[in-house]
Amino acid sequence: MELHVRYEGDDDPKKCSARKLARFDLAELHRATRSTPPGVVLNPFAEQAISPADRADAGDGARHDRLVVLDCSWETAEREAFDLQGVHRSLPFLVAANPVNYGTPFQLNTVEAFAGALCILGERDHAERLLSKFSWGHTFLELNEEPLERYADCEDSSDVIAVQDDYLVEE
C-alpha cells in the first residue's frame, strides 16, 4: 500500500515521524494539496471510521491502495485543512505511544495513524516495518493490540464503531 503525507511542516522537524518515514522511503511527502494524490484519507473529522471494507480490493472504483494523511500540529488541525481528494475515514479509539502524546487517546502522530490504519486493513507486517524505525514503535502495537485485532475482524465501519464503543464506555 502506498503511503502519502500532505506535509505542513509546522512541527519540530526532529520529532516529525512523517519526515523520518520519508527519509527511509516509506512514505512520500507532498508540500501542496494539489500534489497530494487521492486515496483513503485519514481524517479525524470524517463521519465514517476506517474498516476492513476499505481494503484495496474493495471493488468500488476508488483508490484504496493508497493511504493519505495530513501531517500538522494538533493545535492547528482544523476541518478545512483536511480538504484532500479521496475517501475520508477516521481512526477509531487508539492510544498514542509516541513520547509527545504517550497514553493520550486519539492523539496519534503520523506513523501511528498509518500503522493503526494498516493493521485495521489487514496489513500488520507493513505497520510493523514502519514502526520498527522508532524506538517506541513496538509500544504502539502493544498498547493497542486488543482493539487493533478487534477492529481488523470487523466487517464495516459500523462494526468498528460498535467495538470502539466498548472502549469509550465510562465505568
Side-chain angles (χ1 to χ4, degrees):
M1 180 163 284
E2 294 177 25
L3 305 180
H4 294 267
V5 179
R6 168 61 182 95
Y7 180 68
E8 289 287 325
D10 56 0
D11 282 336
D12 181 346
K14 294 176 184 158
K15 296 177 184 173
C16 180
S17 65
R19 287 173 58 116
K20 188 168 187 176
L21 291 175
R23 279 196 309 273
F24 285 102
D25 290 324
L26 295 170
E28 188 173 336
L29 299 184
H30 304 275
R31 300 271 182 180
T33 300
R34 282 187 305 179
S35 66
T36 307
V40 177
V41 178
L42 300 179
N43 178 346
F45 302 105
E47 294 181 16
Q48 192 171 344
I50 194 164
S51 75
D54 293 309
R55 286 190 179 114
D57 59 359
D60 61 1
R63 288 297 306 249
H64 294 272
D65 59 344
R66 186 182 288 147
L67 282 177
V68 179
V69 299
L70 171 67
D71 184 272
C72 68
S73 169
W74 278 105
E75 286 80 38
T76 61
E78 295 180 9
R79 187 175 300 269
E80 296 78 29
F82 289 88
D83 188 24
L84 297 165
Q85 290 185 354
V87 178
H88 288 241
R89 299 288 187 261
S90 60
L91 283 166
F93 173 85
L94 293 169
V95 177
N98 69 76
V100 174
N101 291 315
Y102 182 85
T104 308
F106 298 106
Q107 296 285 305
L108 309 182
N109 67 14
T110 296
V111 70
E112 290 170 320
F114 275 142
L118 288 166
C119 286
I120 292 167
L121 296 173
E123 297 199 21
R124 186 178 174 101
D125 289 346
H126 193 168
E128 289 174 358
R129 277 195 309 278
L130 299 180
L131 291 167
S132 72
K133 303 300 181 190
F134 300 84
S135 60
W136 48 265
H138 64 93
T139 305
F140 176 76
L141 293 175
E142 291 167 7
L143 286 174
N144 296 290
E145 184 172 352
E146 180 186 319
L148 284 171
E149 286 178 14
R150 291 183 67 197
Y151 297 143
D153 287 339
C154 290
E155 193 168 313
D156 58 24
S157 181
S158 61
D159 290 347
V160 168
I161 296 302
V163 169
Q164 173 183 263
D165 289 346
D166 290 347
Y167 297 100
L168 298 180
V169 173
E170 292 185 40
E171 295 184 27

PDB file of all heavy atoms in Angstrom, residues 31-65:
ATOM      1  N   ARG A  31       4.121  18.866  -0.396  1.00  0.00           N
ATOM      2  CA  ARG A  31       4.052  20.192   0.223  1.00  0.00           C
ATOM      3  C   ARG A  31       2.788  20.960  -0.129  1.00  0.00           C
ATOM      4  O   ARG A  31       2.512  21.982   0.466  1.00  0.00           O
ATOM      5  CB  ARG A  31       5.267  21.017  -0.186  1.00  0.00           C
ATOM      6  CG  ARG A  31       6.575  20.411   0.223  1.00  0.00           C
ATOM      7  CD  ARG A  31       6.953  20.862   1.581  1.00  0.00           C
ATOM      8  NE  ARG A  31       8.247  20.295   1.959  1.00  0.00           N
ATOM      9  CZ  ARG A  31       8.804  20.526   3.101  1.00  0.00           C
ATOM     10  NH1 ARG A  31       8.227  21.299   3.975  1.00  0.00           N
ATOM     11  NH2 ARG A  31       9.952  19.972   3.393  1.00  0.00           N
ATOM     12  N   ALA A  32       2.012  20.467  -1.094  1.00  0.00           N
ATOM     13  CA  ALA A  32       0.794  21.165  -1.507  1.00  0.00           C
ATOM     14  C   ALA A  32      -0.355  20.173  -1.641  1.00  0.00           C
ATOM     15  O   ALA A  32      -0.142  19.000  -1.971  1.00  0.00           O
ATOM     16  CB  ALA A  32       1.014  21.880  -2.842  1.00  0.00           C
ATOM     17  N   THR A  33      -1.564  20.653  -1.406  1.00  0.00           N
ATOM     18  CA  THR A  33      -2.748  19.814  -1.529  1.00  0.00           C
ATOM     19  C   THR A  33      -2.900  19.298  -2.951  1.00  0.00           C
ATOM     20  O   THR A  33      -3.221  18.124  -3.164  1.00  0.00           O
ATOM     21  CB  THR A  33      -4.003  20.598  -1.097  1.00  0.00           C
ATOM     22  OG1 THR A  33      -3.832  20.994   0.274  1.00  0.00           O
ATOM     23  CG2 THR A  33      -5.257  19.764  -1.229  1.00  0.00           C
ATOM     24  N   ARG A  34      -2.633  20.159  -3.942  1.00  0.00           N
ATOM     25  CA  ARG A  34      -2.783  19.757  -5.346  1.00  0.00           C
ATOM     26  C   ARG A  34      -1.857  18.618  -5.732  1.00  0.00           C
ATOM     27  O   ARG A  34      -2.195  17.819  -6.598  1.00  0.00           O
ATOM     28  CB  ARG A  34      -2.533  20.938  -6.272  1.00  0.00           C
ATOM     29  CG  ARG A  34      -3.686  21.892  -6.367  1.00  0.00           C
ATOM     30  CD  ARG A  34      -3.431  22.910  -7.417  1.00  0.00           C
ATOM     31  NE  ARG A  34      -2.151  23.577  -7.132  1.00  0.00           N
ATOM     32  CZ  ARG A  34      -1.609  24.510  -7.859  1.00  0.00           C
ATOM     33  NH1 ARG A  34      -2.200  24.908  -8.942  1.00  0.00           N
ATOM     34  NH2 ARG A  34      -0.475  25.077  -7.514  1.00  0.00           N
ATOM     35  N   SER A  35      -0.688  18.536  -5.127  1.00  0.00           N
ATOM     36  CA  SER A  35       0.261  17.484  -5.485  1.00  0.00           C
ATOM     37  C   SER A  35       0.038  16.198  -4.689  1.00  0.00           C
ATOM     38  O   SER A  35       0.696  15.191  -4.936  1.00  0.00           O
ATOM     39  CB  SER A  35       1.696  17.965  -5.288  1.00  0.00           C
ATOM     40  OG  SER A  35       1.965  18.201  -3.928  1.00  0.00           O
ATOM     41  N   THR A  36      -0.885  16.231  -3.735  1.00  0.00           N
ATOM     42  CA  THR A  36      -1.172  15.054  -2.922  1.00  0.00           C
ATOM     43  C   THR A  36      -2.187  14.178  -3.655  1.00  0.00           C
ATOM     44  O   THR A  36      -3.288  14.631  -3.963  1.00  0.00           O
ATOM     45  CB  THR A  36      -1.743  15.477  -1.546  1.00  0.00           C
ATOM     46  OG1 THR A  36      -0.852  16.415  -0.943  1.00  0.00           O
ATOM     47  CG2 THR A  36      -1.908  14.274  -0.643  1.00  0.00           C
ATOM     48  N   PRO A  37      -1.832  12.933  -3.954  1.00  0.00           N
ATOM     49  CA  PRO A  37      -2.746  12.081  -4.718  1.00  0.00           C
ATOM     50  C   PRO A  37      -3.948  11.645  -3.886  1.00  0.00           C
ATOM     51  O   PRO A  37      -3.886  11.625  -2.659  1.00  0.00           O
ATOM     52  CB  PRO A  37      -1.872  10.882  -5.102  1.00  0.00           C
ATOM     53  CG  PRO A  37      -0.838  10.820  -4.040  1.00  0.00           C
ATOM     54  CD  PRO A  37      -0.588  12.245  -3.622  1.00  0.00           C
ATOM     55  N   PRO A  38      -5.044  11.291  -4.548  1.00  0.00           N
ATOM     56  CA  PRO A  38      -6.221  10.812  -3.816  1.00  0.00           C
ATOM     57  C   PRO A  38      -5.992   9.411  -3.256  1.00  0.00           C
ATOM     58  O   PRO A  38      -5.143   8.666  -3.746  1.00  0.00           O
ATOM     59  CB  PRO A  38      -7.318  10.804  -4.878  1.00  0.00           C
ATOM     60  CG  PRO A  38      -6.590  10.660  -6.172  1.00  0.00           C
ATOM     61  CD  PRO A  38      -5.262  11.338  -5.983  1.00  0.00           C
ATOM     62  N   GLY A  39      -6.735   9.090  -2.239  1.00  0.00           N
ATOM     63  CA  GLY A  39      -6.651   7.769  -1.622  1.00  0.00           C
ATOM     64  C   GLY A  39      -7.614   7.706  -0.462  1.00  0.00           C
ATOM     65  O   GLY A  39      -8.573   8.480  -0.384  1.00  0.00           O
ATOM     66  N   VAL A  40      -7.359   6.810   0.469  1.00  0.00           N
ATOM     67  CA  VAL A  40      -8.116   6.760   1.710  1.00  0.00           C
ATOM     68  C   VAL A  40      -7.458   7.783   2.631  1.00  0.00           C
ATOM     69  O   VAL A  40      -6.318   7.607   3.055  1.00  0.00           O
ATOM     70  CB  VAL A  40      -8.103   5.353   2.344  1.00  0.00           C
ATOM     71  CG1 VAL A  40      -8.834   5.364   3.682  1.00  0.00           C
ATOM     72  CG2 VAL A  40      -8.731   4.333   1.401  1.00  0.00           C
ATOM     73  N   VAL A  41      -8.156   8.879   2.880  1.00  0.00           N
ATOM     74  CA  VAL A  41      -7.624   9.997   3.672  1.00  0.00           C
ATOM     75  C   VAL A  41      -7.986   9.781   5.137  1.00  0.00           C
ATOM     76  O   VAL A  41      -9.165   9.684   5.484  1.00  0.00           O
ATOM     77  CB  VAL A  41      -8.198  11.347   3.174  1.00  0.00           C
ATOM     78  CG1 VAL A  41      -7.672  12.493   4.025  1.00  0.00           C
ATOM     79  CG2 VAL A  41      -7.880  11.560   1.702  1.00  0.00           C
ATOM     80  N   LEU A  42      -6.966   9.697   5.983  1.00  0.00           N
ATOM     81  CA  LEU A  42      -7.203   9.572   7.418  1.00  0.00           C
ATOM     82  C   LEU A  42      -7.489  10.962   7.966  1.00  0.00           C
ATOM     83  O   LEU A  42      -6.624  11.821   7.988  1.00  0.00           O
ATOM     84  CB  LEU A  42      -5.996   8.934   8.101  1.00  0.00           C
ATOM     85  CG  LEU A  42      -5.651   7.531   7.604  1.00  0.00           C
ATOM     86  CD1 LEU A  42      -4.428   6.990   8.334  1.00  0.00           C
ATOM     87  CD2 LEU A  42      -6.834   6.592   7.753  1.00  0.00           C
ATOM     88  N   ASN A  43      -8.727  11.156   8.370  1.00  0.00           N
ATOM     89  CA  ASN A  43      -9.238  12.474   8.734  1.00  0.00           C
ATOM     90  C   ASN A  43     -10.010  12.355  10.041  1.00  0.00           C
ATOM     91  O   ASN A  43     -11.050  11.697  10.084  1.00  0.00           O
ATOM     92  CB  ASN A  43     -10.154  12.973   7.602  1.00  0.00           C
ATOM     93  CG  ASN A  43     -10.795  14.304   7.881  1.00  0.00           C
ATOM     94  OD1 ASN A  43     -10.794  14.792   9.000  1.00  0.00           O
ATOM     95  ND2 ASN A  43     -11.370  14.887   6.851  1.00  0.00           N
ATOM     96  N   PRO A  44      -9.533  12.969  11.126  1.00  0.00           N
ATOM     97  CA  PRO A  44     -10.215  12.841  12.413  1.00  0.00           C
ATOM     98  C   PRO A  44     -11.627  13.436  12.409  1.00  0.00           C
ATOM     99  O   PRO A  44     -12.422  13.159  13.302  1.00  0.00           O
ATOM    100  CB  PRO A  44      -9.310  13.587  13.388  1.00  0.00           C
ATOM    101  CG  PRO A  44      -8.515  14.516  12.545  1.00  0.00           C
ATOM    102  CD  PRO A  44      -8.363  13.853  11.210  1.00  0.00           C
ATOM    103  N   PHE A  45     -11.960  14.231  11.391  1.00  0.00           N
ATOM    104  CA  PHE A  45     -13.283  14.835  11.299  1.00  0.00           C
ATOM    105  C   PHE A  45     -14.239  14.020  10.421  1.00  0.00           C
ATOM    106  O   PHE A  45     -15.401  14.393  10.267  1.00  0.00           O
ATOM    107  CB  PHE A  45     -13.181  16.259  10.756  1.00  0.00           C
ATOM    108  CG  PHE A  45     -12.302  17.144  11.604  1.00  0.00           C
ATOM    109  CD1 PHE A  45     -11.025  17.486  11.176  1.00  0.00           C
ATOM    110  CD2 PHE A  45     -12.735  17.621  12.834  1.00  0.00           C
ATOM    111  CE1 PHE A  45     -10.203  18.297  11.941  1.00  0.00           C
ATOM    112  CE2 PHE A  45     -11.924  18.433  13.606  1.00  0.00           C
ATOM    113  CZ  PHE A  45     -10.657  18.770  13.170  1.00  0.00           C
ATOM    114  N   ALA A  46     -13.755  12.940   9.819  1.00  0.00           N
ATOM    115  CA  ALA A  46     -14.591  12.126   8.927  1.00  0.00           C
ATOM    116  C   ALA A  46     -15.711  11.465   9.716  1.00  0.00           C
ATOM    117  O   ALA A  46     -15.547  11.109  10.884  1.00  0.00           O
ATOM    118  CB  ALA A  46     -13.750  11.067   8.223  1.00  0.00           C
ATOM    119  N   GLU A  47     -16.844  11.305   9.065  1.00  0.00           N
ATOM    120  CA  GLU A  47     -18.016  10.722   9.723  1.00  0.00           C
ATOM    121  C   GLU A  47     -17.980   9.198   9.740  1.00  0.00           C
ATOM    122  O   GLU A  47     -18.692   8.583  10.521  1.00  0.00           O
ATOM    123  CB  GLU A  47     -19.287  11.209   9.035  1.00  0.00           C
ATOM    124  CG  GLU A  47     -19.498  12.697   9.223  1.00  0.00           C
ATOM    125  CD  GLU A  47     -20.765  13.197   8.582  1.00  0.00           C
ATOM    126  OE1 GLU A  47     -21.640  12.379   8.241  1.00  0.00           O
ATOM    127  OE2 GLU A  47     -20.877  14.422   8.423  1.00  0.00           O
ATOM    128  N   GLN A  48     -17.155   8.596   8.900  1.00  0.00           N
ATOM    129  CA  GLN A  48     -17.103   7.142   8.818  1.00  0.00           C
ATOM    130  C   GLN A  48     -15.718   6.666   9.246  1.00  0.00           C
ATOM    131  O   GLN A  48     -14.702   7.239   8.853  1.00  0.00           O
ATOM    132  CB  GLN A  48     -17.395   6.699   7.378  1.00  0.00           C
ATOM    133  CG  GLN A  48     -17.652   5.231   7.236  1.00  0.00           C
ATOM    134  CD  GLN A  48     -18.154   4.886   5.836  1.00  0.00           C
ATOM    135  OE1 GLN A  48     -18.575   5.753   5.082  1.00  0.00           O
ATOM    136  NE2 GLN A  48     -18.098   3.621   5.501  1.00  0.00           N
ATOM    137  N   ALA A  49     -15.675   5.603  10.047  1.00  0.00           N
ATOM    138  CA  ALA A  49     -14.408   5.043  10.517  1.00  0.00           C
ATOM    139  C   ALA A  49     -13.809   4.117   9.467  1.00  0.00           C
ATOM    140  O   ALA A  49     -14.535   3.469   8.704  1.00  0.00           O
ATOM    141  CB  ALA A  49     -14.622   4.269  11.813  1.00  0.00           C
ATOM    142  N   ILE A  50     -12.493   4.056   9.447  1.00  0.00           N
ATOM    143  CA  ILE A  50     -11.819   3.110   8.568  1.00  0.00           C
ATOM    144  C   ILE A  50     -12.147   1.700   9.040  1.00  0.00           C
ATOM    145  O   ILE A  50     -12.310   1.454  10.244  1.00  0.00           O
ATOM    146  CB  ILE A  50     -10.291   3.364   8.520  1.00  0.00           C
ATOM    147  CG1 ILE A  50      -9.663   2.608   7.347  1.00  0.00           C
ATOM    148  CG2 ILE A  50      -9.627   3.055   9.854  1.00  0.00           C
ATOM    149  CD1 ILE A  50      -8.272   3.080   7.000  1.00  0.00           C
ATOM    150  N   SER A  51     -12.268   0.797   8.095  1.00  0.00           N
ATOM    151  CA  SER A  51     -12.616  -0.587   8.421  1.00  0.00           C
ATOM    152  C   SER A  51     -12.019  -1.510   7.363  1.00  0.00           C
ATOM    153  O   SER A  51     -11.555  -1.048   6.321  1.00  0.00           O
ATOM    154  CB  SER A  51     -14.131  -0.759   8.461  1.00  0.00           C
ATOM    155  OG  SER A  51     -14.665  -0.782   7.145  1.00  0.00           O
ATOM    156  N   PRO A  52     -12.046  -2.811   7.610  1.00  0.00           N
ATOM    157  CA  PRO A  52     -11.574  -3.750   6.591  1.00  0.00           C
ATOM    158  C   PRO A  52     -12.307  -3.607   5.253  1.00  0.00           C
ATOM    159  O   PRO A  52     -11.767  -3.996   4.215  1.00  0.00           O
ATOM    160  CB  PRO A  52     -11.833  -5.121   7.224  1.00  0.00           C
ATOM    161  CG  PRO A  52     -11.676  -4.854   8.700  1.00  0.00           C
ATOM    162  CD  PRO A  52     -12.322  -3.497   8.885  1.00  0.00           C
ATOM    163  N   ALA A  53     -13.481  -3.021   5.239  1.00  0.00           N
ATOM    164  CA  ALA A  53     -14.207  -2.788   3.987  1.00  0.00           C
ATOM    165  C   ALA A  53     -13.482  -1.789   3.093  1.00  0.00           C
ATOM    166  O   ALA A  53     -13.777  -1.699   1.901  1.00  0.00           O
ATOM    167  CB  ALA A  53     -15.625  -2.294   4.278  1.00  0.00           C
ATOM    168  N   ASP A  54     -12.515  -1.051   3.648  1.00  0.00           N
ATOM    169  CA  ASP A  54     -11.748  -0.067   2.879  1.00  0.00           C
ATOM    170  C   ASP A  54     -10.475  -0.644   2.276  1.00  0.00           C
ATOM    171  O   ASP A  54      -9.633   0.095   1.774  1.00  0.00           O
ATOM    172  CB  ASP A  54     -11.378   1.128   3.777  1.00  0.00           C
ATOM    173  CG  ASP A  54     -12.588   1.927   4.183  1.00  0.00           C
ATOM    174  OD1 ASP A  54     -13.358   2.301   3.287  1.00  0.00           O
ATOM    175  OD2 ASP A  54     -12.756   2.165   5.394  1.00  0.00           O
ATOM    176  N   ARG A  55     -10.330  -1.951   2.297  1.00  0.00           N
ATOM    177  CA  ARG A  55      -9.136  -2.588   1.712  1.00  0.00           C
ATOM    178  C   ARG A  55      -9.010  -2.267   0.236  1.00  0.00           C
ATOM    179  O   ARG A  55      -9.979  -1.928  -0.436  1.00  0.00           O
ATOM    180  CB  ARG A  55      -9.205  -4.105   1.900  1.00  0.00           C
ATOM    181  CG  ARG A  55      -8.945  -4.519   3.312  1.00  0.00           C
ATOM    182  CD  ARG A  55      -8.779  -6.031   3.398  1.00  0.00           C
ATOM    183  NE  ARG A  55      -8.511  -6.401   4.769  1.00  0.00           N
ATOM    184  CZ  ARG A  55      -9.329  -7.116   5.517  1.00  0.00           C
ATOM    185  NH1 ARG A  55     -10.460  -7.577   5.023  1.00  0.00           N
ATOM    186  NH2 ARG A  55      -9.012  -7.402   6.753  1.00  0.00           N
ATOM    187  N   ALA A  56      -7.814  -2.455  -0.290  1.00  0.00           N
ATOM    188  CA  ALA A  56      -7.508  -2.142  -1.687  1.00  0.00           C
ATOM    189  C   ALA A  56      -8.423  -2.863  -2.671  1.00  0.00           C
ATOM    190  O   ALA A  56      -8.679  -2.364  -3.749  1.00  0.00           O
ATOM    191  CB  ALA A  56      -6.053  -2.471  -1.991  1.00  0.00           C
ATOM    192  N   ASP A  57      -8.935  -4.016  -2.300  1.00  0.00           N
ATOM    193  CA  ASP A  57      -9.767  -4.788  -3.218  1.00  0.00           C
ATOM    194  C   ASP A  57     -11.263  -4.538  -2.975  1.00  0.00           C
ATOM    195  O   ASP A  57     -12.087  -5.410  -3.219  1.00  0.00           O
ATOM    196  CB  ASP A  57      -9.448  -6.277  -3.113  1.00  0.00           C
ATOM    197  CG  ASP A  57      -9.652  -6.831  -1.706  1.00  0.00           C
ATOM    198  OD1 ASP A  57     -10.023  -6.056  -0.802  1.00  0.00           O
ATOM    199  OD2 ASP A  57      -9.429  -8.037  -1.514  1.00  0.00           O
ATOM    200  N   ALA A  58     -11.607  -3.341  -2.520  1.00  0.00           N
ATOM    201  CA  ALA A  58     -12.993  -3.036  -2.183  1.00  0.00           C
ATOM    202  C   ALA A  58     -13.930  -3.110  -3.388  1.00  0.00           C
ATOM    203  O   ALA A  58     -15.129  -3.301  -3.235  1.00  0.00           O
ATOM    204  CB  ALA A  58     -13.101  -1.651  -1.537  1.00  0.00           C
ATOM    205  N   GLY A  59     -13.405  -2.933  -4.598  1.00  0.00           N
ATOM    206  CA  GLY A  59     -14.208  -3.099  -5.796  1.00  0.00           C
ATOM    207  C   GLY A  59     -15.157  -1.962  -6.117  1.00  0.00           C
ATOM    208  O   GLY A  59     -16.021  -2.096  -6.965  1.00  0.00           O
ATOM    209  N   ASP A  60     -14.995  -0.809  -5.466  1.00  0.00           N
ATOM    210  CA  ASP A  60     -15.909   0.310  -5.718  1.00  0.00           C
ATOM    211  C   ASP A  60     -15.302   1.368  -6.639  1.00  0.00           C
ATOM    212  O   ASP A  60     -15.865   2.434  -6.824  1.00  0.00           O
ATOM    213  CB  ASP A  60     -16.358   0.946  -4.404  1.00  0.00           C
ATOM    214  CG  ASP A  60     -15.202   1.519  -3.596  1.00  0.00           C
ATOM    215  OD1 ASP A  60     -14.053   1.434  -4.068  1.00  0.00           O
ATOM    216  OD2 ASP A  60     -15.466   2.037  -2.503  1.00  0.00           O
ATOM    217  N   GLY A  61     -14.145   1.082  -7.210  1.00  0.00           N
ATOM    218  CA  GLY A  61     -13.529   2.013  -8.150  1.00  0.00           C
ATOM    219  C   GLY A  61     -12.675   3.089  -7.509  1.00  0.00           C
ATOM    220  O   GLY A  61     -11.953   3.796  -8.193  1.00  0.00           O
ATOM    221  N   ALA A  62     -12.743   3.262  -6.197  1.00  0.00           N
ATOM    222  CA  ALA A  62     -11.943   4.280  -5.513  1.00  0.00           C
ATOM    223  C   ALA A  62     -10.511   3.763  -5.315  1.00  0.00           C
ATOM    224  O   ALA A  62     -10.262   2.558  -5.376  1.00  0.00           O
ATOM    225  CB  ALA A  62     -12.571   4.616  -4.158  1.00  0.00           C
ATOM    226  N   ARG A  63      -9.581   4.689  -5.078  1.00  0.00           N
ATOM    227  CA  ARG A  63      -8.175   4.309  -4.881  1.00  0.00           C
ATOM    228  C   ARG A  63      -7.948   3.882  -3.435  1.00  0.00           C
ATOM    229  O   ARG A  63      -7.609   4.682  -2.586  1.00  0.00           O
ATOM    230  CB  ARG A  63      -7.263   5.479  -5.233  1.00  0.00           C
ATOM    231  CG  ARG A  63      -7.157   5.795  -6.701  1.00  0.00           C
ATOM    232  CD  ARG A  63      -6.537   4.651  -7.498  1.00  0.00           C
ATOM    233  NE  ARG A  63      -5.265   4.209  -6.999  1.00  0.00           N
ATOM    234  CZ  ARG A  63      -4.098   4.382  -7.605  1.00  0.00           C
ATOM    235  NH1 ARG A  63      -4.058   4.977  -8.761  1.00  0.00           N
ATOM    236  NH2 ARG A  63      -2.991   3.948  -7.067  1.00  0.00           N
ATOM    237  N   HIS A  64      -8.171   2.614  -3.155  1.00  0.00           N
ATOM    238  CA  HIS A  64      -7.979   2.093  -1.809  1.00  0.00           C
ATOM    239  C   HIS A  64      -6.605   1.471  -1.616  1.00  0.00           C
ATOM    240  O   HIS A  64      -6.349   0.830  -0.615  1.00  0.00           O
ATOM    241  CB  HIS A  64      -9.070   1.067  -1.479  1.00  0.00           C
ATOM    242  CG  HIS A  64     -10.433   1.652  -1.400  1.00  0.00           C
ATOM    243  ND1 HIS A  64     -10.943   2.178  -0.247  1.00  0.00           N
ATOM    244  CD2 HIS A  64     -11.391   1.819  -2.338  1.00  0.00           C
ATOM    245  CE1 HIS A  64     -12.167   2.627  -0.463  1.00  0.00           C
ATOM    246  NE2 HIS A  64     -12.456   2.424  -1.727  1.00  0.00           N
ATOM    247  N   ASP A  65      -5.713   1.642  -2.587  1.00  0.00           N
ATOM    248  CA  ASP A  65      -4.361   1.104  -2.471  1.00  0.00           C
ATOM    249  C   ASP A  65      -3.396   2.180  -1.977  1.00  0.00           C
ATOM    250  O   ASP A  65      -2.196   2.021  -2.029  1.00  0.00           O
ATOM    251  CB  ASP A  65      -3.882   0.539  -3.806  1.00  0.00           C
ATOM    252  CG  ASP A  65      -3.870   1.578  -4.919  1.00  0.00           C
ATOM    253  OD1 ASP A  65      -4.508   2.644  -4.766  1.00  0.00           O
ATOM    254  OD2 ASP A  65      -3.239   1.303  -5.952  1.00  0.00           O
TER     255      ASP A  65
END
